[in-house]
Amino acid sequence: MNRLISMLMIALVVGLFSVMSLAQLTGRDIMEKVSERGDIKTEFGKSKMTLINDKGKTREREVIRYQKSYNGKDGIDTKALIFFEYPADIRGTGLLLWSYQATGKDDDRWLYLPALKKIRRIAGESKNEYFMGTDFTYDDMGDRNLDEDTHKLLGREKVDGVDCYKVESVPINKDDQYAKKITWIIPDKWVFQKVEFYDKNGNLQKVLTASDIREVDGIWTPHILFMDNLSKTHQTKIEIEEVKYNGEMSDQVFTQTTLERGKVQ
Amino acid sequence: MKSGKYFWLLAITAVAFQVSNAEVGFHGYMLNHSAIRIHSPYDAMLLRNRFRLNSELMGDNVYAYASVDFLNDVVIGDSTALNLREVYLDIYSSWVDFRIGKQQIVWGKADGYFINDIVNPLDLSLFLLQDFEDIRMATTMLNTKIHHGNNSLEILVIPEFKPMKMNFTGDWGFNRPDIFSVQDPGSGLILTIPISYGIDKLPKSSIQNFEYGFKCNLFLFGTDIALIYLKAREDKPVMRKAVEMTTIPNIGPIPTKINITPTHPWFTFFGANFSRPFGVFVLRGEGGYYPKRYFDFVPSDLSQLNTGMLTEKPFLQGMLGMDYQLTSQIDLSVQGIQERILDYEDAIMTDEVNTISSLMLRGSFANDTVLPLWLMLYNISNKSYLSRVSIDWKYSDSFTITVGADILGGDQETTAGQFNFGQFDQNDNLYLKVVFGF
């Protein structure tokens, strides 16, 4: 009996400390937990993108994505490689992204266009250019360094019945494409439920919502992402068909040789 | 040639069956490409139907690709042809890749101009009216790529020689003279000599005639750098001249005919290119140096006719370009290109310096469904230009309509085969492309 009381006391103290520590979380702490969610070293994803215009007409894209975290090795934060598999006219188009840890250092980006059989270097600062007709910009496709924004916890708020942290992120660089982002984060899963993107005039430009959040390899993962571009009355829905975390992924995947090849062997 | 095509198809099929877990994929498109002259006589310049079938076989470390065109031209030659555009086999390993077969190699960074991009010969039978993937003709070769990180070394061995495809008649025929005028030093009279063009003498496919080259790709300090060496034969024919002399009583020997034989001598090429982003800009550049290249030489009088009328000179080319995102929907690219014959002599027919500038504005509207383009190539040296305005409308993922116009103009004077837009001054055209992809 004494043993049971002791265990309950310990559990209570641990729980209390946990609640206290969560209560003291700053906006940056929360975003850091999202960023480091599940300690993702590598990520492979296969998804279907549906592009929906203002008349409800749809176009589809099938995309494969590889990502690897380098945690500052040679100054690199993450490397990502994206291939389009469908439709035929953009099949083989690839984007290679190297994101750096140092704040202010632009990403290195290479785009391969099969019709030209040529790799083109893209400016690391061309952040407000939409990627291949989607409502995601090149910057949205890459991994954003935490220190590129100041993060402020605005409180807690329910989104679709889910209690979330509400964090405002304001870019340090005033030339950034967005004036601010507001993110709603599910506390126990450390995954976002909703993101609002505001333009330079302070107007709500885009809303990204996540749903069908399931645990894959111990990591909570949204399987449906829906970007509503209010400024263009256009939407992009991403359905994750396959995702794998922390599998073996060679450094050779994230090179121009693989980008040109159009596939990962 | 046909047996070669069947060999590749058989080889790929054989590999497909041998490769475990091989996946097969087919895609391609149907295209109608029509162009009409936009001044008198307002005739059709192109009515082309194309069915392109691309097939792929994907194994774990093997990939095979074949691209076939069924081409029907109504205006040009009223012909129907089957063309095996590309067919190659890739074998991958962790440090070296091989691509063997008929393939296209793109080594340059320039848009719309070929400085480092000289491995494949060009099909200029429709000048620049075709897409670049059709202008560049695939050739059979072995391409070995040794790679480590973002650095690699490409080694090419090219057993097949294919000359540049260009016409000397028809709408897109390059100017070439039928007569040659030269002064007789004795009488001071101007003699007009007819020119006869012989058949293109292609080198035999033997080991001695294999072309080869390498390209070293480096990623240093955020800059993509490539160093190139190529030992190859001139795709564009070098015109060797032989003068036929006839002895006239009381006058002596006089030239009565010039026989021109197109030849393809060897050249050595050293090249380099780079690209690097600077904030919102991307700076691109490439250069090429030929220690020896042949140029047509105009003899000042009759006594020099037997020099072959060719001279060897070093040749230098360079391009500097910049890409800039003007707005979130419009990209701007500008390029400056210069070619220079070193150790120049006035008797050389080609100008010492040739300077070209280009400007390209490319838009992307309505989520990549409306894609306008304006491309302007202006040859500053001979004041000729090509202005292309087009708009792609992607009605759906598989259906695209392109409407465009090519306006060409400027100085029409040119030497044989020279890249001068003015010689096609009469070819301003409006074109329509309808593409259904699958």
Side-chain angles (χ1 to χ4, degrees):
Chain A
M1 189 66 178
N2 282 346
R3 197 173 169 192
L4 182 66
I5 291 169
S6 302
M7 283 175 72
L8 280 172
M9 287 294 287
I10 291 166
L12 190 67
V13 170
V14 169
L16 200 61
F17 270 105
S18 302
V19 170
M20 282 172 68
S21 62
L22 284 179
Q24 288 166 359
L25 284 176
T26 64
R28 195 188 186 288
D29 294 337
I30 293 165
M31 296 311 281
E32 195 168 0
K33 281 183 178 292
V34 174
S35 176
E36 293 172 357
R37 161 180 63 113
D39 192 20
I40 301 170
K41 302 267 191 310
T42 66
E43 182 179 345
F44 165 79
K46 204 170 181 178
S47 54
K48 187 173 98 177
M49 285 181 171
T50 307
L51 281 53
I52 309 157
N53 75 5
D54 55 347
K55 294 179 183 72
K57 196 174 163 189
T58 59
R59 291 184 293 152
E60 283 185 4
R61 276 134 184 59
E62 283 176 14
V63 178
I64 289 182
R65 182 187 173 99
Y66 300 83
Q67 185 161 320
K68 188 169 183 175
S69 177
Y70 283 80
N71 294 320
K73 187 185 167 198
D74 297 329
I76 291 166
D77 188 22
T78 56
K79 291 182 183 179
L81 180 67
I82 300 159
F83 285 131
F84 280 82
E85 293 221 305
Y86 178 87
D89 66 335
I90 56 166
R91 182 184 161 80
T93 300
L95 178 69
L96 175 64
L97 302 164
W98 287 13
S99 306
Y100 294 92
Q101 271 209 329
T103 312
K105 183 169 166 58
D106 290 329
D107 296 353
D108 280 317
R109 295 170 180 172
W110 297 267
L111 181 70
Y112 179 71
L113 299 166
L116 299 176
K117 289 188 160 54
K118 198 187 268 192
I119 292 176
R120 282 194 86 95
R121 197 72 187 266
I122 309 173
E125 277 190 28
S126 58
K127 291 177 174 174
N128 53 352
E129 192 173 1
Y130 287 99
F131 179 61
M132 303 297 290
T134 68
D135 293 290
F136 294 85
T137 62
Y138 281 93
D139 197 33
D140 296 335
M141 304 299 290
D143 212 31
R144 192 166 173 87
N145 192 318
L146 269 182
D147 294 324
E148 287 183 73
D149 304 281
T150 53
H151 308 278
K152 185 179 163 191
L153 177 62
L154 299 179
R156 292 181 82 134
E157 203 172 278
K158 281 194 173 179
V159 178
D160 297 331
V162 181
D163 189 34
C164 296
Y165 284 116
K166 185 179 177 184
V167 178
E168 181 188 72
S169 303
V170 178
I172 290 165
N173 181 358
K174 296 299 166 203
D175 292 331
D176 204 276
Q177 61 171 329
Y178 304 116
K180 68 174 180 184
K181 278 187 271 186
I182 297 177
T183 311
W184 284 261
I185 293 140
I186 304 168
D188 52 339
K189 295 173 180 166
W190 302 115
V191 67
F192 73 87
Q193 175 87 4
K194 179 176 150 184
V195 188
E196 287 182 350
F197 302 80
Y198 290 83
D199 68 15
K200 295 253 172 72
N201 299 320
N203 299 320
L204 180 59
Q205 187 184 347
K206 298 193 293 189
V207 181
L208 177 65
T209 46
S211 57
D212 189 13
I213 299 168
R214 283 181 264 148
E215 206 170 10
V216 178
D217 299 329
I219 294 155
W220 289 99
T221 307
H223 282 65
I224 296 176
L225 297 168
F226 190 84
M227 180 72 97
D228 190 359
N229 193 335
L230 305 168
S231 65
K232 295 174 76 182
T233 54
H234 194 275
Q235 296 154 337
T236 301
K237 182 183 180 184
I238 300 179
E239 293 163 88
I240 312 289
E241 293 174 335
E242 189 185 345
V243 63
K244 280 179 199 161
Y245 294 107
N246 297 329
E248 198 62 35
M249 208 174 274
S250 157
D251 290 341
Q252 193 59 36
V253 170
F254 306 97
T255 62
Q256 293 185 54
T257 298
T258 309
L259 177 67
E260 204 168 8
R261 210 188 260 173
K263 62 196 119 345
V264 172
Q265 293 308 120
Chain B
M1 190 65 190
K2 275 185 179 173
S3 60
K5 289 178 185 176
Y6 291 127
F7 166 77
W8 281 113
L9 285 172
L10 280 171
I12 284 169
T13 311
V15 167
F17 281 110
Q18 285 174 23
V19 173
S20 59
N21 306 321
E23 287 177 44
V24 183
F26 294 98
H27 51 96
Y29 61 80
M30 292 169 75
L31 161 83
N32 175 270
H33 184 179
S34 313
I36 190 156
R37 202 184 309 269
I38 49 177
H39 48 71
S40 183
Y42 299 101
D43 54 335
M45 296 179 70
L46 187 71
L47 287 175
R48 172 173 278 187
N49 301 297
R50 167 180 283 166
F51 174 69
R52 176 166 296 172
L53 180 65
N54 302 322
S55 50
E56 296 174 296
L57 300 165
M58 292 157 277
D60 291 339
N61 290 306
V62 180
Y63 171 81
Y65 177 81
S67 176
V68 182
D69 257 359
F70 297 88
L71 204 62
N72 168 237
D73 269 320
V74 179
V75 175
I76 303 166
D78 192 11
S79 61
T80 303
L82 173 65
N83 177 26
L84 188 62
R85 292 178 62 249
E86 284 183 274
V87 55
Y88 55 77
L89 182 67
D90 286 352
I91 300 164
Y92 307 125
S93 81
S94 58
W95 63 278
V96 62
D97 295 352
F98 298 98
R99 174 167 289 179
I100 183 164
K102 192 175 178 184
Q103 58 191 286
Q104 292 189 10
I105 300 288
V106 182
W107 275 3
K109 296 274 184 217
D111 289 331
Y113 211 76
F114 304 88
I115 297 173
N116 286 174
D117 204 359
I118 53 170
V119 177
N120 296 111
L122 305 179
D123 177 0
L124 295 178
S125 56
L126 290 177
F127 195 48
L128 300 181
L129 198 65
Q130 302 190 89
D131 293 332
F132 277 104
E133 62 171 342
D134 296 316
I135 288 176
R136 203 181 287 113
M137 291 189 289
T139 27
T140 302
M141 64 184 92
L142 170 65
N143 180 0
T144 305
K145 191 172 193 177
I146 300 162
H147 45 83
H148 180 74
N150 238 4
N151 305 317
S152 60
L153 176 69
E154 290 175 59
I155 304 161
L156 301 182
V157 179
I158 313 165
E160 181 193 12
F161 175 79
K162 199 185 278 184
M164 180 186 279
K165 200 170 168 184
M166 55 201 295
N167 293 333
F168 296 102
T169 55
D171 285 329
W172 300 104
F174 284 84
N175 294 341
R176 68 176 186 186
D178 294 323
I179 53 164
F180 183 75
S181 300
V182 66
Q183 191 174 39
D184 178 4
S187 62
L189 291 172
I190 303 291
L191 297 173
T192 302
I193 312 165
I195 295 173
S196 168
Y197 291 92
I199 297 166
D200 202 343
K201 284 177 74 176
L202 300 183
K204 286 179 185 168
S205 186
S206 60
I207 288 178
Q208 295 96 315
N209 283 329
F210 282 12
E211 298 177 345
Y212 56 93
F214 69 80
K215 179 175 173 231
C216 181
N217 303 299
L218 303 165
F219 181 63
L220 292 172
F221 310 112
T223 309
D224 290 302
I225 299 168
L227 303 170
I228 294 167
Y229 171 85
L230 185 68
K231 183 82 179 173
R233 287 180 176 272
E234 293 279 3
D235 297 332
K236 187 176 141 191
V238 169
M239 302 297 192
R240 292 207 174 274
K241 293 134 195 119
V243 182
E244 271 183 29
M245 307 292 280
T246 304
T247 304
I248 308 282
N250 303 325
I251 297 177
I254 62 159
T256 49
K257 193 176 174 189
I258 296 177
N259 292 312
I260 292 186
T261 310
T263 61
H264 301 277
W266 286 100
F267 68 83
T268 305
F269 175 81
F270 300 95
N273 63 58
F274 76 93
S275 66
R276 193 193 201 291
F278 289 96
V280 292
F281 299 94
V282 175
L283 198 63
R284 295 179 281 123
E286 69 182 72
Y289 174 69
Y290 299 75
K292 187 176 79 176
R293 224 174 175 191
Y294 289 93
F295 295 94
D296 292 309
F297 180 86
V298 186
S300 55
D301 60 49
L302 214 58
S303 62
Q304 295 180 330
L305 271 184
N306 286 327
T307 56
M309 294 157 72
L310 283 172
T311 184
E312 295 171 5
K313 295 290 173 193
F315 185 60
L316 196 63
Q317 292 173 300
M319 180 283 293
L320 201 60
M322 188 197 71
D323 302 328
Y324 174 64
Q325 190 190 347
L326 216 55
T327 71
S328 62
Q329 292 171 315
I330 300 173
D331 292 328
L332 168 74
S333 294
V334 289
Q335 294 182 141
I337 299 158
Q338 192 166 84
E339 300 174 331
R340 184 177 287 267
I341 302 168
L342 305 177
D343 191 19
Y344 191 75
E345 292 173 49
D346 290 339
I348 293 173
M349 287 172 81
T350 313
D351 291 337
E352 180 181 7
V353 178
N354 191 31
T355 308
I356 295 168
S357 63
S358 79
L359 182 147
M360 183 161 66
L361 280 169
R362 208 170 17 198
S364 171
F365 297 92
N367 287 73
D368 267 6
T369 54
V370 179
L371 307 165
L373 171 105
W374 179 44
L375 169 70
M376 180 78 179
L377 287 165
Y378 183 70
N379 190 319
I380 295 164
S381 302
N382 60 28
K383 296 179 180 58
S384 70
Y385 58 86
L386 162 69
S387 177
R388 170 172 294 170
V389 184
S390 72
I391 187 159
D392 288 1
W393 177 46
K394 295 194 171 192
Y395 176 74
S396 69
D397 283 336
S398 54
F399 188 53
T400 305
I401 296 173
T402 304
V403 179
D406 281 353
I407 310 294
L408 299 106
D411 189 355
Q412 294 186 23
E413 278 188 29
T414 178
T415 55
Q418 206 176 13
F419 215 72
N420 177 0
F421 308 110
Q423 64 192 309
F424 302 119
D425 191 27
Q426 300 304 308
N427 290 356
D428 297 346
N429 64 83
L430 184 68
Y431 61 86
L432 172 74
K433 287 184 192 177
V434 182
V435 184
F436 179 77
F438 59 91

